[in-house]
Amino acid sequence: MTKSKSTSISKSSKSTSLLILAAILCILSLTCPEPARARIFIDINAPSIRQLRISIPPFENRTPEAAHPDLGPKLAGVVSNDLELSGYFISIEEEAFLPGAVEDIARERIRFKDWSVIGSELLLACSYRGVGNSVELEARLYDVFRGRRVYSKRLLGKIDEHRALAHRLSNEILYLLTGQKGMFLSRFAFVNRRKGKKQMIKEIFTCDVDGHNIKQITFDKSIALLPRWSPDGRKLLYNSYKDGGPMLFLKDLSTGMDRRISSRTGLNIGACWDPKGGRRVALTLSHGNNPDIYTIDLKGNILDQITRHWGIDVSPAFSPDGSRIAFVSNRSGSPQIFIRDLSSGAERRLTFEGKYNTSPAWSSLDRIAFSGMSNGRIDIYTIRADGTDLRNLTGGRGNNEDPCWSPDGRYLAFSSNREGGYHLYVMTASGHNPRRITFGNGEQTSPSWSPF
């Protein structure tokens, strides 16, 4: 009797222990990250980034009577190009899709093996419906390996602005997988150079980040240079010779009106905006016969003289917080980059390698990009603001000039003649995935990236 009772108690205790253990394992399975449960995520801060392979079939047309049939491949093409431009994705060619796989998506029956066998890790399945002048887009993103949906959303836009709608979707996907806002709705201002009847003509243009939607901004039939976006993205500073010497103009992009804000005798060049509020501008004036850097307000009134040196000081670039300015000076014998602290007035030389370093651009992540000459070729370099970690990003292909940063500091645009004439390119901040984005007539130089 005692033995039987003891055995019963032992079995009861063992069952209770197993139940407790099972409960603990269940809780752990819900709270602890596992490779099989974790969603796809791209670590953009990793030393090296593995690109994800994504399939993007033409978007299915659900418009009544199948109107607007050309939108499907166009929308898919924009998103595919955007994601490849980011450097985080490889789009699988449509020719690789298995027979019937795309039709199965339309039937809302996805056979994930058909996509995994061609190496796809992600599948973007989208449909659209035209309603009057608008188009409604329904997007679904799938993790092919796990066979599950990781994103779905409806987006609405205008048919004649379908590229912007596709850019919005690209931004959504990039944010989902990286936690970083996309840049696909941002724009470039740049100089387009072409031959006129009597002289070379340079005008200011803008385009989307992928090089499409090109618009001419100036019509001076003269020489316009160095466009710079305002912090609110509504205005452009630029230099023009249309009234004689190099004067500074301000263009309001919403009204199309422009006005001259600095036309002093001599130089009025290389302006950059104060990133904090955009109420002052730094530029080079040869006021007093020596080219120095000044700040002015938007009416052209001089606020302060920043540099006072017998050397030539040009190309100012504010730090992200507006407390310092990088600039180019020949005071050391050849053009080099210096940094000035605006509160203390302390100046220090930043670059020491190479005999010709120009065009500094300061990123939101506190790195400085510049053009430097070595062995007769011009390349894009980056360096920390403390002078360490110098990197050559474009070594080996043509001359590369005029670097500018994306708003998030993770990409660089620049002009290069690696394929003949000068055109605009975009690459990651580490120098990977360089892609040409302009293919128009003439040459494109001096890019400036809009703030959003």
Side-chain angles (χ1 to χ4, degrees), residues 210-230:
D210 60 358
H212 288 264
N213 194 26
I214 293 177
K215 297 180 181 178
Q216 186 170 344
I217 302 301
T218 64
F219 297 84
D220 300 340
K221 296 181 180 179
S222 179
I223 296 177
L225 301 168
L226 301 172
R228 295 293 182 265
W229 289 96
S230 62

Side-chain angles (χ1 to χ4, degrees), residues 393-450:
L393 303 187
T394 58
R397 296 198 65 188
N399 289 315
N400 306 277
E401 306 176 42
D402 311 320
C404 72
W405 292 96
S406 62
D408 62 4
R410 298 188 181 277
Y411 298 89
L412 276 163
F414 60 101
S415 61
S416 177
N417 68 352
R418 62 182 60 189
E419 297 180 52
Y422 278 92
H423 303 285
L424 301 188
Y425 292 77
V426 172
M427 64 182 173
T428 66
S430 60
H432 295 114
N433 197 45
R435 290 172 64 91
R436 178 177 166 182
I437 63 164
T438 57
F439 296 86
N441 296 327
E443 295 186 318
Q444 297 81 46
T445 61
S446 301
S448 176
W449 210 314
S450 71

Side-chain angles (χ1 to χ4, degrees), residues 244-256:
M247 301 176 187
L248 184 65
F249 290 81
L250 179 64
K251 182 89 170 184
D252 188 312
L253 296 177
S254 60
T255 65

Side-chain angles (χ1 to χ4, degrees), residues 9-19:
I9 293 173
S10 176
K11 288 181 178 179
S12 176
S13 299
K14 187 175 181 181
S15 298
T16 302
S17 299
L18 289 172
L19 286 172

Side-chain angles (χ1 to χ4, degrees), residues 49-64:
I49 297 174
R50 184 181 68 85
Q51 294 174 305
L52 294 177
R53 295 172 62 83
I54 184 169
S55 291
I56 307 177
F59 294 7
E60 180 194 356
N61 186 3
R62 294 185 178 177
T63 306

